[in-house]
Amino acid sequence: RRPPRSTLFPYTTLFRSENVSKTKFGWQFYPHKIKGEGFYIAVLQKNGTLHTNPEIKLEQKQNKNPLLAKHLQHPEKFELFQKNELIYVFPENCYNIFTTLLKHLYVRQAGICLGEMKGKDFLPTHQLALSIHISENTNSIELSKEDAIHFLRGESPKLKTNLRGWCIARFNGSNLGWMKLLDTRINNYYPKDLRILKRSV
């Protein structure tokens, strides 16, 4: 038996947009209508007693707010929290809904994973590199097609630059991933499972 609509879809106002297609049991977000790869949202309700999970805790990192200002275009629109060793941000306007859902559901991925702290060093994620919310002030280098292919293969492009530290590799205006520019070399942080393997490309 299907529960009342008000119970099944308590947050419908978040998705009312001409860019979202309503289906029988949820919402379809098509990649050509939104900023992203596209996804589908539905809610299922099981019969029986609801068991909450009080052990799930998110540690808000108010003392790490400089990370928001450094890495995001509009840091005031996000809440920052930590899950295990990873630091995440979530839109401020629906953060309360998110924390409520965590008490009842297993959430595998939500928000933007900024990275993690390794001692005093911050290691940014590939997810942040590709985010539409990444700060426009982030250091970046536009690569040639040849250098971009080298980068996507996991190789280190040969660049002449005075920049040091974390830097975005770009091609045709699109972010590809992170490089770390050192005095004597360039470290490529493009994820191993995404790298081009064919040499004919």
Side-chain angles (χ1 to χ4, degrees):
R1 183 173 62 87
R2 193 178 175 200
R5 182 178 180 84
S6 60
T7 302
L8 185 60
F9 300 116
Y11 309 124
T12 55
T13 55
L14 292 176
F15 309 122
R16 287 175 182 169
S17 168
E18 63 276 7
N19 296 330
V20 180
S21 298
K22 179 71 177 68
T23 66
K24 185 176 181 181
F25 297 110
W27 293 267
Q28 181 71 59
F29 295 73
Y30 291 103
H32 64 289
K33 292 185 177 181
I34 63 170
K35 293 182 179 180
E37 297 179 356
F39 55 94
Y40 181 79
I41 291 180
V43 178
L44 303 178
Q45 180 169 319
K46 297 174 65 175
N47 294 327
T49 304
L50 177 65
H51 297 283
T52 61
N53 189 352
E55 297 180 358
I56 296 179
K57 294 181 180 180
L58 293 180
E59 181 182 355
Q60 284 189 277
K61 290 290 185 178
Q62 298 298 337
N63 61 321
K64 290 187 179 293
N65 278 346
L67 287 175
L68 298 182
K70 181 176 181 180
H71 294 291
L72 300 178
Q73 287 189 50
H74 302 288
E76 72 282 358
K77 295 183 179 180
F78 293 89
E79 290 283 350
L80 188 148
F81 62 92
Q82 182 168 341
K83 183 179 179 182
N84 298 323
E85 300 300 321
L86 297 175
I87 299 171
Y88 290 81
V89 291
F90 199 84
E92 185 274 337
N93 62 345
C94 51
Y95 184 75
N96 290 337
I97 295 174
F98 167 58
T99 54
T100 299
L101 290 175
L102 279 179
K103 297 177 182 178
H104 308 289
L105 302 172
Y106 169 69
V107 179
R108 183 172 183 179
Q109 171 66 47
I112 304 170
C113 183
L114 294 186
E116 62 179 316
M117 297 300 300
K118 290 289 187 180
K120 296 182 179 180
D121 296 328
F122 176 72
L123 276 61
T125 63
H126 185 63
Q127 186 178 141
L128 173 62
L130 302 189
S131 173
I132 61 174
H133 300 291
I134 191 169
S135 172
E136 296 177 349
N137 296 323
T138 303
N139 286 336
S140 64
I141 296 179
E142 188 75 18
L143 302 181
S144 65
K145 181 178 179 181
E146 181 180 2
D147 284 335
I149 292 175
H150 282 301
F151 178 81
L152 295 175
R153 283 178 176 155
E155 303 166 359
S156 297
K158 297 179 180 180
L159 304 172
K160 293 183 179 181
T161 175
N162 293 323
L163 292 175
R164 292 295 181 267
W166 293 101
C167 183
I168 294 286
R170 295 169 60 87
F171 177 66
N172 276 356
S174 297
N175 292 355
L176 301 179
W178 291 105
M179 303 181 290
K180 192 169 186 180
L181 310 180
L182 306 175
D183 290 334
T184 58
R185 68 182 188 276
I186 297 175
N187 290 343
N188 186 335
Y189 280 83
Y190 191 70
K192 292 182 179 180
D193 56 334
L194 298 178
R195 292 176 182 177
I196 296 174
L197 299 179
K198 280 188 171 183
R199 305 304 299 182
S200 59
V201 175

